[in-house]
């Protein structure tokens, strides 16, 4: 590794890094409908589009095996993969699993992991269609490739949001993040202890959201049933702020979201208060909620409301020049800017 | 990670491990043509099959950045991905790249890597269609997802070999392995030196095979042109022994290959001699040659020979009960058995 000029990745941030690395790539294949910039690659396979996404989950970054049961991790890996396909309004159908496994893992450990994978595959109706298991030096490396399909007229990109579209989210936000903080606190409290007795009572919801998240596919089914195709969509994995910025960047628009409209669960509030964390910050920057952020034309507002629970309108799309901002109950606008490199 | 019963992965070996982990998975989706057991997953997308494969390359296991230029590594990652698609007689078309990057890497490092990816994408006609770049704790993690297509009547599985079929390989074997040994020797010789001057002259071929391998797609084009569809195929990544066993297991057959038919390049012989390594062992167990091993009905022998260079017939398929063996020039059979966990 030569060291002539050195630009830290953190100087660029995630957005600009990918732009810079992929700037010179020009499509060759006629079947490549979309290159980078969405949750999944879009490939024209005749009557339908085939969607392919890839996720990398690394021990020590994306999960901590001190408090993450391998069965839950397997389940979550599948949900993470399916989430990318749902974000394109598609149906996940096949999954390929790559595992790098260090010597600390036994066959029984992998069986636990695969039990979680299998349960999630059954829940979401996907087939484990292939993969690769190899040795690793350090810990567990998981790569998930998810393949799905979508009718051509129903595909949703990040780039389709228009001025005045309603900004909607499914479920509530920040719960996975507060669950993570709780797990980290109990880990610190019992570090070195042979008989840890973590205090989890009353926190089942936020723990579940962290350890065994689910995709809100029922909302997609309800939208489809009502004949509503979102204009843009993304899954909430980086946090509301970052994911909204992705939509606005790809759609070349601005956005206003309202602080008091962001749905935050009771348990999320309580844990945030206990840990002296701003619950709105948890919702904006927490990530890993696996909910969906999508936009819908304002003309469909009434039909949207009829769909009932599970969808919250938190703001609307604006002109690009107005930027992306969070409006407080006092009417102040707080600019939402590009996140750094995590 | 509970520790009730502990079976080491090495006790099972790679073959049995995957079998055991995936034994309970039953297909759900009608479009899942093939589950595990081939180089790529096979998905029915209408007129054609879509092929999807995934590979994981881990620093410290699959590559050593002391002697692997990042540009070469990027190139090799793409070749590794394309190789899986060629092994199904398909055409690679899109690629998704997942990178886990630790703090030791700069933007310039990643640009080097992407330059190699781009060159290989142009060479093999594939589009970088998506991916994911995240932080990692330790070194560089690369996941490559390759998407290809194949006409339904031309797909080749590992499972189609029949008794008396000819066993063919492209190119020559063991070169990548000897290139790796040379690089490791020079690394040891100059460990701690500020101005290493490794001795690589005269070894360009084996170094090239290790650092910048190519897929023998021209052979597939020649076979296709001659109207020959192999009965079974696999890419030579684990080594001839292991990959032949895969074919025999999936095809429920045995095999005889002849020691003096295994093509080994002059430079491979020379380096093996210098390092006191048996060149046949390098060919059998070395791996990473990215050549193809395939079987062809004996009735096509004449047409096969007309194709000329680049294809070597090294043996033939036998009944399952006769096992898999290497026949020496003296007529002795040496059994080829399942490899362990690397």
């Amino acid at each position: 590794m030569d060291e002539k000029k050195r630009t830290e990745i953190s100087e660029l941030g995630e957005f600009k890094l990918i732009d810079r690395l992929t700037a010179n790539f020009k499509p060759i294949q006629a079947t490549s409908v979309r290159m980078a910039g969405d949750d999944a690659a879009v490939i024209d396979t005749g009557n339908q589009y085939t969607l392919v996404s890839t996720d990398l989950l690394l021990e020590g970054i994306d999960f901590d095996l001190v408090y993450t049961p391998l069965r839950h991790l397997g389940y979550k890996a599948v949900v993470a993969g399916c989430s990318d396909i749902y974000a394109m309004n598609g149906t996940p159908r096949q999954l390929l699993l790559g595992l790098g496994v260090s010597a600390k893992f036994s066959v029984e450990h992998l069986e636990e992991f695969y039990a979680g994978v299998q349960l999630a595959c059954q829940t979401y109706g996907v087939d484990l269609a292939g993969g690769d298991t190899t040795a690793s030096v350090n810990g567990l490396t998981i790569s998930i490739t998810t393949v799905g399909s979508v009718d051509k007229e129903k595909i949703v990109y990040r780039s389709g949001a228009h001025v005045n579209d309603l900004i909607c989210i499914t479920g509530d936000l920040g719960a996975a993040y507060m669950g993570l903080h709780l797990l980290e606190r109990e880990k610190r409290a019992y570090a070195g202890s042979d008989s840890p007795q973590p205090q989890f009572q009353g926190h089942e919801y936020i723990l579940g959201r962290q350890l065994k998240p689910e995709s809100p596919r029922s909302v997609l089914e309800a939208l489809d049933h009502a004949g509503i195709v979102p204009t843009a969509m993304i899954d909430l994995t980086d946090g509301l702020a970052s994911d909204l910025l992705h939509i606005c960047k790809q759609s070349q628009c601005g956005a206003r979201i309202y602080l008091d409209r962001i749905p935050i669960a009771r348990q999320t509030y309580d844990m945030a208060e206990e840990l002296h964390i701003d619950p709105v910050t948890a919702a904006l920057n927490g990530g890993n909620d696996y909910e969906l952020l999508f936009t819908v034309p304002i003309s469909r507002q009434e039909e949207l409301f009829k769909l009932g629970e599970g969808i919250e309108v938190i703001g609307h799309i604006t002109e690009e020049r107005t930027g992306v901002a969070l409006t407080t109950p006092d009417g102040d606008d707080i600019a939402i800017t590009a996140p750094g490199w995590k």
Side-chain angles (χ1 to χ4, degrees), chain A residues 312-329:
Chain A
E312 209 69 42
V313 177
I314 62 163
H316 60 275
I317 296 295
T318 58
E319 305 256 9
E320 190 173 19
R321 58 176 172 76
T322 68
V324 181
L326 175 74
T327 305
T328 68

Side-chain angles (χ1 to χ4, degrees), chain A residues 90-159:
Chain A
T91 304
R93 300 199 185 275
Q94 285 90 14
L95 195 92
L96 287 85
L97 194 58
L99 286 186
V101 183
S102 70
K104 73 177 173 185
F105 295 94
S106 68
V107 174
E108 287 76 15
H109 287 138
L110 295 185
E111 286 181 323
E112 275 296 296
F113 180 83
Y114 269 76
V117 167
Q118 190 174 14
L119 183 59
C121 280
Q122 286 164 349
T123 303
Y124 290 95
V126 299
D127 284 332
L128 182 70
D132 189 19
T133 300
T134 54
S136 88
V137 179
N138 293 299
L140 184 61
T141 299
I142 307 167
S143 87
I144 313 114
T145 296
T146 320
V147 183
S149 63
V150 60
D151 290 344
K152 288 184 178 181
E153 69 278 14
K154 289 185 180 169
I155 192 165
V156 180
Y157 296 109
R158 293 180 181 175
S159 58

Side-chain angles (χ1 to χ4, degrees), chain A residues 14-250:
Chain A
E14 194 188 338
F15 276 40
K16 284 186 185 159
L17 175 69
I18 300 290
D19 285 353
R20 184 156 152 184
L21 292 175
T22 58
N24 295 326
F25 286 78
K26 304 282 173 256
I28 301 169
Q29 294 284 343
T31 54
S32 299
V33 179
R34 283 278 172 132
M35 309 276 285
D38 269 289
D39 288 285
V42 182
I43 299 164
D44 192 341
T45 43
N47 294 329
Q48 286 195 310
Y49 286 140
T50 295
L51 306 169
V52 186
S53 83
T54 182
D55 288 287
L56 209 47
L57 297 177
L58 306 177
E59 185 174 349
I61 298 281
D62 299 297
F63 57 89
D64 185 333
L65 291 178
V66 168
Y67 52 71
T68 309
L70 281 162
R71 191 181 286 249
H72 286 57
L73 185 62
Y75 193 95
K76 187 172 177 170
V78 175
V79 170
C82 292
S83 182
D84 286 329
I85 304 300
Y86 289 128
M88 311 290 292
N89 207 25
T91 304
R93 300 199 185 275
Q94 285 90 14
L95 195 92
L96 287 85
L97 194 58
L99 286 186
V101 183
S102 70
K104 73 177 173 185
F105 295 94
S106 68
V107 174
E108 287 76 15
H109 287 138
L110 295 185
E111 286 181 323
E112 275 296 296
F113 180 83
Y114 269 76
V117 167
Q118 190 174 14
L119 183 59
C121 280
Q122 286 164 349
T123 303
Y124 290 95
V126 299
D127 284 332
L128 182 70
D132 189 19
T133 300
T134 54
S136 88
V137 179
N138 293 299
L140 184 61
T141 299
I142 307 167
S143 87
I144 313 114
T145 296
T146 320
V147 183
S149 63
V150 60
D151 290 344
K152 288 184 178 181
E153 69 278 14
K154 289 185 180 169
I155 192 165
V156 180
Y157 296 109
R158 293 180 181 175
S159 58
H162 296 293
V163 174
N164 293 332
D165 281 358
L166 301 174
I167 300 172
C168 310
I169 60 167
T170 62
D172 57 83
L173 302 184
Y177 183 72
M178 292 320 306
L180 181 62
H181 270 273
L182 171 62
L183 288 163
E184 287 285 345
R185 182 184 73 177
E186 299 300 302
K187 178 187 169 186
R188 283 192 299 274
Y190 290 96
S193 163
D194 284 341
S195 56
Q197 295 184 310
Q199 301 300 309
F200 289 152
Q201 212 177 359
H203 304 303
E204 291 78 8
Y205 180 70
I206 59 173
L207 287 173
R209 290 295 301 269
Q210 172 60 33
L211 294 174
K212 190 168 172 287
E214 300 286 355
S215 264
R217 59 171 169 166
S218 61
V219 172
L220 294 180
E221 287 162 9
L223 286 170
D224 188 46
H225 199 252
I228 300 175
V229 179
T231 48
M233 188 149 57
I234 189 170
D235 64 336
L236 286 158
T237 51
D238 292 343
L240 175 58
S242 177
D243 292 321
L244 179 60
L245 283 170
H246 278 297
I247 291 273
C248 290
K249 186 194 167 200
Q250 299 282 333

